[in-house]
Amino acid sequence: MPRVNRVLHISAYKFVTLSDCAALRESIRSRAAALELKGTVLLAEEGINLFLAGAPERMRAFVDELRADARFADLEPKESWSDAVPFRKLLVKVKREIIRMNHPTIRPEQGRAPAVAPATLARWLAQGHDDEGRPVVTLDTRNAFEVDAGAFERAIDWRIEKFSEFPQALRAHRGELAGKTVVSYCTGGIRCEKAALLMQREGVERVYQLEGGILRYFEETGGAHFRGACFVFDERELLDPALAPVR
């Protein structure tokens, strides 16, 4: 089906040291506004996190310009489509963290936890164990209301109300993860990336993060072993495994 005149959505993040957030905020806001893009861009000393929507050719021009900055050269946005822009305005903000966990020593830029590809996770879930025979569990790092919209079958859900509660929940439930291969997951990868690093630091033996989160998993596997829809923070609210809004 041709995508002429449809709206392109992108989501992307990168943990990279940014010492010029104020100037970067103005340049990004100016260029995104000129291209009539809407959504949210968050900047912090630890990196960038963005959710934007607009005309496909303008969106891709924006991404190309962003990649011209060496710090963002390898940015790989996840794409989805809809018939209308799901954001009311453009916001570009400077924050303390691009995803708040209140653990400033967790710095993914200095080294990520191992990642598992969507196809590999789907295979592990189908066979019930990883390639070494260890039981596999998925750990949802999202807010409880997001989990209620959809999650992996038998996912561990600690019913957190905001991501900054994850460290405390981990301390309370760490024993549940012993002897298992733990795959942390979230919508697009940013929360589970920090969560996986914290679990490593707290002594969880075998930890992975789902590469690209649920959105990449949907794109590459069609949503096998996932039940329900993925909540997104825009007016679409719910996406099915085809990355289409649930109507």
Side-chain angles (χ1 to χ4, degrees), residues 149 218 228-232 235-247:
F218 279 1
C230 180
F231 184 91
V232 290
E235 292 179 2
R236 296 173 298 172
E237 290 193 354
L238 299 173
L239 298 182
D240 65 21
L243 296 176
V246 175
R247 303 194 182 280

Side-chain angles (χ1 to χ4, degrees), residues 78-90:
K78 289 175 284 294
E79 296 186 354
S80 58
W81 300 84
S82 73
D83 296 320
V85 175
F87 302 104
R88 298 179 186 276
K89 55 187 175 181
L90 172 67

Side-chain angles (χ1 to χ4, degrees), residues 9-87:
H9 306 256
I10 65 166
S11 63
Y13 72 92
K14 185 177 180 182
F15 289 105
V16 59
T17 299
L18 302 178
S19 58
D20 58 344
C21 287
L24 196 56
R25 173 179 181 250
E26 294 308 313
S27 65
I28 287 177
R29 182 168 56 184
S30 174
R31 189 58 186 144
L35 292 168
E36 300 183 318
L37 306 181
K38 294 183 179 179
T40 300
V41 180
L42 301 180
L43 300 166
E45 190 269 340
E46 69 175 1
I48 186 171
N49 188 17
L50 56 90
F51 309 87
L52 293 170
E57 66 281 0
R58 295 182 177 187
M59 182 65 72
R60 293 194 169 116
F62 174 80
V63 171
D64 287 344
E65 291 179 21
L66 198 57
R67 286 176 176 153
D69 184 324
R71 296 170 295 183
F72 308 129
D74 58 352
L75 201 67
E76 296 183 5
K78 289 175 284 294
E79 296 186 354
S80 58
W81 300 84
S82 73
D83 296 320
V85 175
F87 302 104

Side-chain angles (χ1 to χ4, degrees), residues 110-125:
Q110 297 173 0
R112 307 176 74 212
V116 61
T120 300
L121 178 59
R123 178 166 53 80
W124 286 356
L125 294 176

Side-chain angles (χ1 to χ4, degrees), residues 138-142 147 150-152 155-158 166 183 185-186:
T138 54
L139 173 60
D140 205 315
T141 65
R142 299 173 300 157
V147 182
F152 281 102
I156 294 173
D157 167 24
W158 290 333
F166 181 83
V183 179
Y185 75 92
C186 58

Side-chain angles (χ1 to χ4, degrees), residues 104-149:
T105 59
I106 298 297
R107 299 297 297 262
E109 182 185 8
Q110 297 173 0
R112 307 176 74 212
V116 61
T120 300
L121 178 59
R123 178 166 53 80
W124 286 356
L125 294 176
Q127 65 194 25
H129 54 79
D130 67 13
D131 294 334
E132 298 176 10
R134 293 169 61 103
V136 173
V137 295
T138 54
L139 173 60
D140 205 315
T141 65
R142 299 173 300 157
N143 302 332
F145 74 89
E146 298 174 75
V147 182
D148 290 342

